[in-house]
Amino acid sequence: HKSRAVQLFAEFFGLFILLVVVHDNTNYPISAFTFGFTLMCLIKMFADVSGAELNGAISMVEYFAAKDQKRETDVKRIQQYIAAQVAGGVAAGIFLKMLAGQNELAIIRISPTTSVFFALFLETTFTMLICFSVCLVISGKIKPPLQTKAAVIIGGTVGVSILLIGDKTGGCVNPSIAMALIIDELIFKGTMDAVNIVVYVIGPLLSAYLAVQLFKKYAKWSEEAWGVNNTTPLTQNEGEENTEIYVEMGKFSLPKEKGVFKENGDGEHL
């Protein structure tokens, strides 16, 4: 386990790199691929360090899952992760302003032909789908090697989301990036658009709760439809049983049922 300072730096640096690379989100087929591929690389790079959450909505999935399952979770860690992510985004905005005089970043921009309510629906829905893909990864339904598959699934979902809604909302689907850009706008222009806060921050953060509820329905349906429990229960030591199991990607976890750990052939562990 890495120290908390190292984990927070990974979240800070990951958001900084992500925003610097994809700050111009207007050429949607290219920017969707660039965003998704960059995110894949960052997940692969930082999964063992911080869990590579890099998105406030993903960080909130753990909180809502814990509340739903009536178990304790490290709320302070979640707050620190989101703060580090936002700080990384703010730093990226300042860097871009100093480097190229970038005044506006197209990642949060509602098209003139798109209503505010439809933009809120799109950002919330597609952020929920991203959070749902994270639930699939950390629940044990995705077989090892986890890091590579997590990078492809999450990065691919984000890329497709941007491709589908980028021309309507900018395809932010990340409340940490949105909050950072709103703070940058306040710093450079002295203004803050309340509509952007609702559409790009509040809605997507609440989508984490919707994703947890959707995943519960999916997990129950899949068990009933397939007649099996599709979870992959794990313990820390091979052959050792435990009654409270967690599948983790970094510090990000969901509880599992009693089971036995079996190391995969690649020597990779969760």
Side-chain angles (χ1 to χ4, degrees):
H1 291 296
K2 307 296 182 182
S3 70
R4 181 57 53 83
V6 172
Q7 292 171 344
L8 295 179
F9 178 76
E11 292 293 308
F12 172 92
F13 186 68
L15 251 290
F16 179 89
I17 294 297
L18 189 61
L19 194 51
V20 167
V21 170
V22 297
H23 63 275
D24 185 3
N25 209 23
T26 54
N27 191 343
Y28 298 110
I30 295 176
S31 61
F33 172 80
T34 304
F35 201 117
F37 181 75
T38 303
L39 186 58
M40 288 180 194
C41 294
L42 290 171
I43 291 173
K44 186 69 176 175
M45 185 183 304
F46 294 127
D48 279 339
V49 180
S50 67
E53 295 177 14
L54 306 175
N55 186 322
I58 292 176
S59 298
M60 289 298 293
V61 166
E62 180 179 356
Y63 173 79
F64 287 122
K67 286 293 183 182
D68 186 75
Q69 297 154 357
K70 295 181 174 58
R71 62 176 174 84
E72 293 185 0
T73 189
D74 191 348
V75 176
K76 184 177 180 180
R77 182 201 71 80
I78 295 172
Q79 293 171 340
Q80 290 174 338
Y81 266 42
I82 294 176
Q85 293 160 8
V86 172
V90 171
I94 294 174
F95 173 78
L96 290 168
K97 174 71 174 178
M98 295 173 60
L99 184 68
Q102 191 92 16
N103 289 321
E104 292 188 21
L105 301 182
I107 295 177
I108 53 172
R109 177 193 49 76
I110 300 175
S111 167
T113 60
T114 303
S115 70
V116 171
F117 292 107
F118 189 49
L120 175 61
F121 170 78
L122 290 176
E123 285 290 322
T124 302
T125 300
F126 280 87
T127 306
M128 179 187 70
L129 293 177
I130 293 166
C131 291
F132 181 82
S133 72
V134 171
C135 289
L136 283 175
V137 169
I138 65 175
S139 68
K141 292 183 181 294
I142 305 298
K143 306 301 181 183
L146 182 62
Q147 289 181 12
T148 301
K149 291 182 179 179
V152 173
I153 291 170
I154 298 170
T157 304
V158 171
V160 170
S161 298
I162 295 171
L163 184 63
L164 293 175
I165 68 172
D167 61 334
K168 299 176 179 62
T169 68
C172 182
V173 293
N174 189 325
S176 295
I177 287 180
M179 196 66 233
L181 298 182
I182 290 168
I183 292 173
D184 280 333
E185 183 180 32
L186 182 62
I187 293 172
F188 296 130
K189 297 184 178 180
T191 61
M192 180 179 291
D193 191 339
V195 170
N196 286 341
I197 295 175
V198 174
V199 171
Y200 295 102
V201 179
I202 297 177
L205 283 176
L206 292 178
S207 73
Y209 172 79
L210 300 176
V212 170
Q213 299 306 311
L214 179 63
F215 181 77
K216 282 176 57 182
K217 298 291 185 183
Y218 162 77
K220 183 178 180 180
W221 169 82
S222 63
E223 278 191 36
E224 293 175 350
W226 299 332
V228 295
N229 185 338
N230 295 297
T231 57
T232 308
L234 304 175
T235 58
Q236 291 184 343
N237 300 311
E238 186 166 358
E240 179 181 322
E241 293 189 354
N242 199 327
T243 57
E244 188 174 36
I245 312 303
Y246 291 84
V247 172
E248 297 194 45
M249 191 171 97
K251 289 288 187 179
F252 190 53
S253 60
L254 288 175
K256 307 301 298 175
E257 298 174 357
K258 183 175 180 179
V260 178
F261 170 74
K262 295 182 180 179
E263 188 175 354
N264 67 77
D266 297 328
E268 189 173 1
H269 60 84
L270 303 184

Short mmCIF file of all heavy atoms in Angstrom, two decimals, residues 68-108:
data_model
loop_
_atom_site.label_atom_id
_atom_site.label_comp_id
_atom_site.label_asym_id
_atom_site.label_seq_id
_atom_site.Cartn_x
_atom_site.Cartn_y
_atom_site.Cartn_z
N ASP A 68 -25.23 2.16 1.07
CA ASP A 68 -26.27 1.22 0.69
C ASP A 68 -26.11 -0.11 1.42
O ASP A 68 -27.11 -0.75 1.77
CB ASP A 68 -26.22 0.99 -0.83
CG ASP A 68 -27.35 0.14 -1.33
OD1 ASP A 68 -28.48 0.66 -1.40
OD2 ASP A 68 -27.13 -1.04 -1.63
N GLN A 69 -24.86 -0.51 1.66
CA GLN A 69 -24.58 -1.79 2.31
C GLN A 69 -24.39 -1.66 3.82
O GLN A 69 -24.04 -2.61 4.50
CB GLN A 69 -23.34 -2.42 1.66
CG GLN A 69 -23.57 -2.74 0.20
CD GLN A 69 -22.28 -2.77 -0.60
OE1 GLN A 69 -21.20 -2.49 -0.09
NE2 GLN A 69 -22.39 -3.10 -1.88
N LYS A 70 -24.61 -0.42 4.32
CA LYS A 70 -24.55 -0.14 5.76
C LYS A 70 -23.20 -0.57 6.35
O LYS A 70 -23.12 -1.22 7.39
CB LYS A 70 -25.70 -0.84 6.50
CG LYS A 70 -27.08 -0.30 6.11
CD LYS A 70 -28.18 -1.00 6.87
CE LYS A 70 -29.53 -0.35 6.58
NZ LYS A 70 -29.89 -0.35 5.16
N ARG A 71 -22.13 -0.19 5.67
CA ARG A 71 -20.80 -0.43 6.20
C ARG A 71 -20.03 0.88 6.21
O ARG A 71 -20.37 1.84 5.52
CB ARG A 71 -20.05 -1.47 5.37
CG ARG A 71 -19.81 -1.07 3.92
CD ARG A 71 -18.98 -2.13 3.20
NE ARG A 71 -18.84 -1.85 1.78
CZ ARG A 71 -17.93 -1.04 1.25
NH1 ARG A 71 -17.06 -0.41 2.04
NH2 ARG A 71 -17.88 -0.84 -0.05
N GLU A 72 -18.98 0.91 7.00
CA GLU A 72 -18.18 2.12 7.12
C GLU A 72 -17.23 2.24 5.93
O GLU A 72 -16.79 1.25 5.36
CB GLU A 72 -17.38 2.10 8.42
CG GLU A 72 -18.24 2.19 9.67
CD GLU A 72 -17.40 2.28 10.93
OE1 GLU A 72 -16.15 2.28 10.82
OE2 GLU A 72 -17.98 2.35 12.03
N THR A 73 -16.93 3.48 5.59
CA THR A 73 -15.93 3.73 4.55
C THR A 73 -15.12 4.95 4.94
O THR A 73 -15.52 5.73 5.81
CB THR A 73 -16.60 3.96 3.18
OG1 THR A 73 -15.59 3.98 2.16
CG2 THR A 73 -17.37 5.26 3.15
N ASP A 74 -13.98 5.11 4.32
CA ASP A 74 -13.07 6.21 4.66
C ASP A 74 -13.52 7.47 3.92
O ASP A 74 -13.05 7.76 2.81
CB ASP A 74 -11.64 5.82 4.26
CG ASP A 74 -10.61 6.80 4.81
OD1 ASP A 74 -11.00 7.88 5.30
OD2 ASP A 74 -9.41 6.48 4.76
N VAL A 75 -14.43 8.20 4.54
CA VAL A 75 -14.97 9.42 3.91
C VAL A 75 -13.86 10.45 3.71
O VAL A 75 -13.84 11.15 2.69
CB VAL A 75 -16.11 10.00 4.77
CG1 VAL A 75 -16.59 11.32 4.17
CG2 VAL A 75 -17.26 9.01 4.87
N LYS A 76 -12.95 10.54 4.65
CA LYS A 76 -11.86 11.50 4.54
C LYS A 76 -11.01 11.22 3.30
O LYS A 76 -10.60 12.14 2.59
CB LYS A 76 -10.99 11.46 5.79
CG LYS A 76 -9.89 12.50 5.80
CD LYS A 76 -9.10 12.46 7.09
CE LYS A 76 -7.99 13.50 7.11
NZ LYS A 76 -7.21 13.47 8.37
N ARG A 77 -10.77 9.94 3.02
CA ARG A 77 -9.98 9.59 1.83
C ARG A 77 -10.71 10.03 0.56
O ARG A 77 -10.09 10.57 -0.36
CB ARG A 77 -9.74 8.08 1.78
CG ARG A 77 -8.87 7.66 0.59
CD ARG A 77 -9.04 6.20 0.27
NE ARG A 77 -10.33 5.91 -0.32
CZ ARG A 77 -10.63 6.12 -1.60
NH1 ARG A 77 -9.75 6.63 -2.42
NH2 ARG A 77 -11.83 5.80 -2.06
N ILE A 78 -12.01 9.81 0.51
CA ILE A 78 -12.79 10.20 -0.66
C ILE A 78 -12.73 11.71 -0.86
O ILE A 78 -12.52 12.20 -1.97
CB ILE A 78 -14.25 9.73 -0.51
CG1 ILE A 78 -14.30 8.20 -0.49
CG2 ILE A 78 -15.11 10.27 -1.65
CD1 ILE A 78 -15.66 7.64 -0.15
N GLN A 79 -12.87 12.45 0.22
CA GLN A 79 -12.79 13.92 0.15
C GLN A 79 -11.41 14.35 -0.34
O GLN A 79 -11.29 15.25 -1.18
CB GLN A 79 -13.09 14.52 1.51
CG GLN A 79 -14.52 14.32 1.98
CD GLN A 79 -14.73 14.75 3.42
OE1 GLN A 79 -13.78 14.85 4.22
NE2 GLN A 79 -15.97 15.01 3.80
N GLN A 80 -10.37 13.72 0.18
CA GLN A 80 -9.01 14.08 -0.22
C GLN A 80 -8.75 13.74 -1.69
O GLN A 80 -8.10 14.51 -2.40
CB GLN A 80 -8.00 13.35 0.67
CG GLN A 80 -7.97 13.86 2.11
CD GLN A 80 -7.06 13.03 2.99
OE1 GLN A 80 -6.75 11.87 2.69
NE2 GLN A 80 -6.63 13.60 4.10
N TYR A 81 -9.26 12.61 -2.14
CA TYR A 81 -9.09 12.23 -3.54
C TYR A 81 -9.75 13.25 -4.46
O TYR A 81 -9.15 13.69 -5.46
CB TYR A 81 -9.69 10.84 -3.79
CG TYR A 81 -8.72 9.70 -3.68
CD1 TYR A 81 -7.76 9.65 -2.67
CD2 TYR A 81 -8.74 8.65 -4.59
CE1 TYR A 81 -6.87 8.60 -2.57
CE2 TYR A 81 -7.86 7.59 -4.50
CZ TYR A 81 -6.92 7.57 -3.48
OH TYR A 81 -6.04 6.52 -3.40
N ILE A 82 -10.99 13.61 -4.16
CA ILE A 82 -11.70 14.57 -5.01
C ILE A 82 -10.99 15.92 -4.99
O ILE A 82 -10.84 16.58 -6.02
CB ILE A 82 -13.16 14.70 -4.56
CG1 ILE A 82 -13.90 13.38 -4.81
CG2 ILE A 82 -13.86 15.84 -5.31
CD1 ILE A 82 -15.33 13.37 -4.32
N ALA A 83 -10.53 16.34 -3.80
CA ALA A 83 -9.80 17.61 -3.69
C ALA A 83 -8.51 17.56 -4.53
O ALA A 83 -8.17 18.54 -5.21
CB ALA A 83 -9.48 17.91 -2.23
N ALA A 84 -7.79 16.44 -4.49
CA ALA A 84 -6.56 16.30 -5.27
C ALA A 84 -6.86 16.33 -6.76
O ALA A 84 -6.13 16.93 -7.56
CB ALA A 84 -5.85 15.01 -4.89
N GLN A 85 -7.95 15.67 -7.17
CA GLN A 85 -8.34 15.67 -8.57
C GLN A 85 -8.66 17.08 -9.05
O GLN A 85 -8.19 17.52 -10.12
CB GLN A 85 -9.55 14.76 -8.77
CG GLN A 85 -9.28 13.28 -8.52
CD GLN A 85 -10.56 12.49 -8.25
OE1 GLN A 85 -11.66 13.01 -8.39
NE2 GLN A 85 -10.40 11.24 -7.85
N VAL A 86 -9.46 17.79 -8.27
CA VAL A 86 -9.84 19.17 -8.64
C VAL A 86 -8.60 20.06 -8.69
O VAL A 86 -8.44 20.87 -9.63
CB VAL A 86 -10.88 19.73 -7.65
CG1 VAL A 86 -11.12 21.21 -7.93
CG2 VAL A 86 -12.19 18.95 -7.75
N ALA A 87 -7.71 19.90 -7.72
CA ALA A 87 -6.47 20.70 -7.70
C ALA A 87 -5.63 20.44 -8.94
O ALA A 87 -5.05 21.36 -9.53
CB ALA A 87 -5.67 20.40 -6.43
N GLY A 88 -5.57 19.18 -9.36
CA GLY A 88 -4.82 18.85 -10.58
C GLY A 88 -5.43 19.50 -11.81
O GLY A 88 -4.72 20.00 -12.68
N GLY A 89 -6.77 19.52 -11.86
CA GLY A 89 -7.45 20.18 -12.97
C GLY A 89 -7.24 21.68 -12.97
O GLY A 89 -7.04 22.29 -14.03
N VAL A 90 -7.29 22.30 -11.79
CA VAL A 90 -7.06 23.74 -11.68
C VAL A 90 -5.64 24.08 -12.13
O VAL A 90 -5.42 25.04 -12.89
CB VAL A 90 -7.28 24.22 -10.23
CG1 VAL A 90 -6.82 25.67 -10.06
CG2 VAL A 90 -8.76 24.10 -9.86
N ALA A 91 -4.68 23.27 -11.69
CA ALA A 91 -3.29 23.49 -12.08
C ALA A 91 -3.12 23.35 -13.59
O ALA A 91 -2.38 24.12 -14.22
CB ALA A 91 -2.38 22.49 -11.36
N ALA A 92 -3.82 22.40 -14.20
CA ALA A 92 -3.75 22.23 -15.65
C ALA A 92 -4.32 23.45 -16.37
O ALA A 92 -3.76 23.91 -17.37
CB ALA A 92 -4.50 20.97 -16.07
N GLY A 93 -5.45 23.98 -15.86
CA GLY A 93 -6.04 25.17 -16.47
C GLY A 93 -5.11 26.37 -16.40
O GLY A 93 -4.97 27.13 -17.37
N ILE A 94 -4.46 26.55 -15.26
CA ILE A 94 -3.50 27.65 -15.09
C ILE A 94 -2.30 27.46 -16.02
O ILE A 94 -1.82 28.41 -16.66
CB ILE A 94 -3.05 27.74 -13.62
CG1 ILE A 94 -4.23 28.14 -12.73
CG2 ILE A 94 -1.90 28.73 -13.46
CD1 ILE A 94 -3.92 28.10 -11.25
N PHE A 95 -1.82 26.22 -16.11
CA PHE A 95 -0.70 25.90 -16.99
C PHE A 95 -1.03 26.23 -18.44
O PHE A 95 -0.22 26.84 -19.16
CB PHE A 95 -0.33 24.43 -16.83
CG PHE A 95 0.72 23.95 -17.81
CD1 PHE A 95 2.05 24.24 -17.60
CD2 PHE A 95 0.37 23.20 -18.92
CE1 PHE A 95 3.03 23.81 -18.49
CE2 PHE A 95 1.32 22.76 -19.82
CZ PHE A 95 2.66 23.07 -19.60
N LEU A 96 -2.21 25.82 -18.89
CA LEU A 96 -2.62 26.08 -20.28
C LEU A 96 -2.79 27.58 -20.54
O LEU A 96 -2.48 28.07 -21.62
CB LEU A 96 -3.93 25.34 -20.59
CG LEU A 96 -3.81 23.81 -20.67
CD1 LEU A 96 -5.20 23.18 -20.69
CD2 LEU A 96 -3.01 23.40 -21.90
N LYS A 97 -3.30 28.30 -19.54
CA LYS A 97 -3.46 29.75 -19.67
C LYS A 97 -2.10 30.42 -19.83
O LYS A 97 -1.91 31.30 -20.68
CB LYS A 97 -4.18 30.29 -18.44
CG LYS A 97 -4.28 31.80 -18.37
CD LYS A 97 -5.24 32.35 -19.39
CE LYS A 97 -5.44 33.85 -19.20
NZ LYS A 97 -6.34 34.42 -20.23
N MET A 98 -1.13 30.00 -19.01
CA MET A 98 0.21 30.59 -19.06
C MET A 98 0.94 30.18 -20.34
O MET A 98 1.68 30.97 -20.92
CB MET A 98 1.01 30.15 -17.84
CG MET A 98 0.46 30.67 -16.52
SD MET A 98 1.33 29.96 -15.10
CE MET A 98 3.00 30.51 -15.41
N LEU A 99 0.70 28.95 -20.79
CA LEU A 99 1.44 28.43 -21.94
C LEU A 99 0.92 28.97 -23.25
O LEU A 99 1.69 29.36 -24.14
CB LEU A 99 1.37 26.89 -21.95
CG LEU A 99 2.17 26.17 -23.03
CD1 LEU A 99 3.66 26.34 -22.77
CD2 LEU A 99 1.80 24.69 -23.07
N ALA A 100 -0.40 29.01 -23.41
CA ALA A 100 -0.97 29.35 -24.71
C ALA A 100 -2.07 30.39 -24.64
O ALA A 100 -2.75 30.63 -25.63
CB ALA A 100 -1.50 28.08 -25.37
N GLY A 101 -2.26 30.98 -23.48
CA GLY A 101 -3.31 31.98 -23.34
C GLY A 101 -4.70 31.41 -23.54
O GLY A 101 -5.61 32.10 -24.00
N GLN A 102 -4.86 30.13 -23.21
CA GLN A 102 -6.15 29.45 -23.40
C GLN A 102 -7.19 30.07 -22.46
O GLN A 102 -7.08 29.99 -21.25
CB GLN A 102 -6.00 27.96 -23.08
CG GLN A 102 -7.18 27.13 -23.49
CD GLN A 102 -7.00 26.57 -24.90
OE1 GLN A 102 -5.90 26.55 -25.42
NE2 GLN A 102 -8.08 26.15 -25.51
N ASN A 103 -8.21 30.69 -23.01
CA ASN A 103 -9.22 31.35 -22.19
C ASN A 103 -10.39 30.43 -21.83
O ASN A 103 -10.92 30.48 -20.75
CB ASN A 103 -9.77 32.58 -22.92
CG ASN A 103 -8.75 33.70 -22.99
OD1 ASN A 103 -8.02 33.92 -22.03
ND2 ASN A 103 -8.68 34.36 -24.12
N GLU A 104 -10.78 29.59 -22.78
CA GLU A 104 -11.91 28.70 -22.53
C GLU A 104 -11.55 27.29 -22.96
O GLU A 104 -10.90 27.09 -23.98
CB GLU A 104 -13.15 29.18 -23.31
CG GLU A 104 -13.71 30.49 -22.81
CD GLU A 104 -15.04 30.81 -23.48
OE1 GLU A 104 -15.68 29.87 -23.99
OE2 GLU A 104 -15.41 31.99 -23.49
N LEU A 105 -11.98 26.32 -22.17
CA LEU A 105 -11.78 24.93 -22.50
C LEU A 105 -13.13 24.34 -22.90
O LEU A 105 -14.11 24.49 -22.19
CB LEU A 105 -11.17 24.17 -21.31
CG LEU A 105 -9.82 24.73 -20.83
CD1 LEU A 105 -9.30 23.88 -19.68
CD2 LEU A 105 -8.80 24.76 -21.96
N ALA A 106 -13.15 23.67 -24.05
CA ALA A 106 -14.42 23.24 -24.65
C ALA A 106 -15.04 22.04 -23.95
O ALA A 106 -16.08 21.55 -24.36
CB ALA A 106 -14.20 22.90 -26.12
N ILE A 107 -14.41 21.55 -22.89
CA ILE A 107 -14.92 20.35 -22.22
C ILE A 107 -16.24 20.63 -21.51
O ILE A 107 -17.07 19.75 -21.36
CB ILE A 107 -13.87 19.79 -21.24
CG1 ILE A 107 -12.65 19.32 -22.04
CG2 ILE A 107 -14.42 18.64 -20.42
CD1 ILE A 107 -11.51 18.83 -21.19
N ILE A 108 -16.45 21.86 -21.03
CA ILE A 108 -17.76 22.21 -20.48
C ILE A 108 -18.35 23.33 -21.34
O ILE A 108 -18.04 24.49 -21.17
CB ILE A 108 -17.70 22.60 -18.98
CG1 ILE A 108 -16.66 23.68 -18.71
CG2 ILE A 108 -17.39 21.40 -18.12
CD1 ILE A 108 -16.72 24.22 -17.28
#
